[in-house]
Amino acid sequence: MNEFATSYHAPVLVEPVLSFLLNENARLIVDATLGGGGHTAALLAKGGVELRVIGIDADSEALAAAQARLQNASSRCEFIHGNFRSLTSLLGSLGVNEVDGILADLGVSSRQIDRPERGFSYMEDGPLDMRMNPNLSGTAADLLATLEADELKRIFRDYGEERLAGPMARAIARQRSQRPLQRTSDLRQIVEKIVKGPQRVKSLARIFQALRIAVNEELEVLREFLQSALSVLRPGGRLVVISYHSLEDRIVKQFIKMHEKGCTCPPEFPICVCGKQSQLQILTPKPVAPDAMEININPRGRSARLRAAQKR
Ligand SMILES: C[S@@+](CC[C@H](N)C(=O)[O-])C[C@H]1O[C@@H](n2cnc3c(N)ncnc32)[C@H](O)[C@@H]1O
């Protein structure tokens, strides 16, 4: 494990995160996904005494754990409980409207996965919950009980890229007409009836991922976050996003590309009429991935892909 890992969570790609975010102008950085506070601890340790970090998390348990861990640096941190989709207004509540760097390390922490009562994992039996913020309504069990089979199929297909999305959705609809699905093991049994052999584990991972994305509206939230992040970065400020699956990474990649592009007028136009200006400079032409040594130490981080950009 790296020096900033704890039993709560091992932060991934710490070196590239630090090298993109800690330039000589960095005074105020937002860690939009504080989790166990690993990246924030690294930023505070390596960033010099003038660096301050604002840590955000939707999960109040994560916030409390990070706050306890970072108490020695409490004069340099602020903590906000909230969803990073509302980044602009969360920062506004502290009177902040411009920052030097923003980090989002998407998805769930090891702690969230390892606690069966959060319902994120198919490995252990627990309630079908999956909410990042357990104070809000709308659990995975609620979605499975209320959505039409066609909508469940769309979720499994679009968010899980699951080939057997239709049979899974129909099996859920049949099952719930007799007894509601309330436990992760209820969902697991349905998947295991449909998929046999070595593909089973992959299907379980895909179905659980899809449901988690739907429960937390993760893709819509990510789009809103990126837009807010761009608006609160000062010129020269840096955005770093770590994604864990291709749907997230595609959104980040397309957002950065779209805002890197300036004028979109056809080449035959003698002068620009669209007025569009490039707002971002791409710092990672290809996403940064953990190397073999990091994967060996922290296999859960193997799918991490980091993209960084600088505001013009
Ligand atoms: C991968 S973990 C971050 C780990 C952290 N970088 C560390 O070093 O410990 C992701 C965290 O983001 C939080 N999270 C996920 N979606 C969120 C959202 N929309 N708004 C705020 N926090 C969110 C989760 O609750 C979780 O604690």
Side-chain angles (χ1 to χ4, degrees):
M1 288 289 157
N2 62 57
E3 63 181 300
F4 300 102
T6 61
S7 57
Y8 195 103
H9 184 81
V12 299
L13 295 168
V14 173
E15 284 312 319
V17 165
L18 297 180
S19 73
F20 284 120
L21 288 177
L22 293 180
N23 54 19
E24 67 279 14
N25 299 320
R27 294 283 177 279
L28 181 57
I29 291 176
V30 176
D31 181 348
T33 51
L34 186 64
H39 284 118
T40 287
L43 286 164
L44 290 167
K46 309 282 174 174
V49 288
E50 289 196 8
L51 182 81
R52 288 193 305 127
V53 178
I54 298 173
I56 300 172
D57 207 291
D59 183 347
S60 48
E61 202 247 307
L63 213 62
Q67 221 162 338
R69 170 188 189 168
L70 298 165
Q71 59 186 333
N72 289 342
S74 61
S75 59
R76 297 163 64 206
C77 312
E78 306 241 30
F79 301 95
I80 311 181
H81 180 225
N83 192 311
F84 61 56
R85 80 189 311 168
S86 315
L87 183 70
T88 324
S89 59
L90 293 176
L91 294 180
S93 69
L94 298 179
V96 171
N97 50 28
E98 208 174 55
V99 301
D100 305 312
I102 300 175
L103 168 67
D105 176 20
L106 302 172
V108 280
S109 64
S110 286
R111 170 74 162 195
Q112 288 166 324
I113 297 172
D114 292 340
R115 289 187 62 206
E117 61 269 39
R118 299 298 298 269
F120 286 112
S121 170
Y122 58 84
M123 307 271 276
E124 307 253 12
D125 183 37
L128 269 169
D129 189 325
M130 300 197 190
R131 290 167 298 171
M132 298 283 181
N133 181 350
N135 303 337
L136 300 180
S137 58
T139 63
D142 294 336
L143 291 194
L144 292 177
T146 54
L147 294 181
E148 298 285 340
D150 273 354
E151 179 59 3
L152 288 174
K153 174 180 167 184
R154 186 194 68 77
I155 287 171
F156 298 150
R157 188 195 56 210
D158 293 356
Y159 301 161
E161 297 173 318
E162 170 56 53
R163 205 171 43 85
L164 295 167
M168 303 265 185
R170 287 194 294 276
I172 288 168
R174 271 196 307 277
Q175 161 78 56
R176 73 186 180 193
S177 64
Q178 291 157 15
R179 188 174 62 84
L181 285 88
Q182 283 171 332
R183 313 283 302 174
T184 53
S185 54
D186 296 335
L187 183 57
R188 181 178 176 138
Q189 276 165 22
I190 289 183
V191 175
E192 288 182 344
K193 268 190 205 145
I194 294 173
V195 189
K196 309 275 180 220
Q199 287 306 313
R200 206 177 234 187
V201 171
K202 288 197 174 141
S203 280
L204 279 166
R206 288 194 285 257
I207 294 297
F208 273 68
Q209 169 187 292
L211 207 47
R212 194 196 84 202
I213 291 175
V215 166
N216 298 290
E217 300 179 343
E218 289 179 29
L219 305 185
E220 298 87 328
V221 164
L222 177 58
R223 289 191 191 94
E224 288 172 37
F225 161 75
L226 292 169
Q227 204 58 56
S228 305
L230 182 59
S231 72
V232 296
L233 272 181
R234 68 157 174 80
R238 300 240 170 127
L239 172 65
V240 174
V241 184
I242 304 173
S243 344
Y244 292 86
H245 54 78
S246 56
L247 298 170
E248 286 173 344
D249 185 51
R250 201 174 306 144
I251 291 173
V252 178
K253 177 180 166 182
Q254 284 172 355
F255 179 87
I256 293 179
K257 265 194 148 175
M258 188 171 86
H259 291 278
E260 188 237 6
K261 211 167 151 48
C263 167
T264 52
C265 294
E268 61 272 20
F269 279 26
I271 55 161
C272 168
V273 292
C274 75
K276 188 169 177 281
Q277 298 209 337
S278 167
Q279 290 181 278
L280 286 175
Q281 180 193 344
I282 296 175
L283 302 176
T284 47
K286 285 203 160 57
V288 181
D291 61 19
M293 191 157 75
E294 178 164 0
I295 295 173
N296 197 22
I297 295 170
N298 180 15
R300 277 186 173 169
R302 65 188 173 282
S303 57
R305 298 291 179 269
L306 179 153
R307 292 187 188 269
Q310 176 165 316
K311 184 153 170 190
R312 291 192 193 273

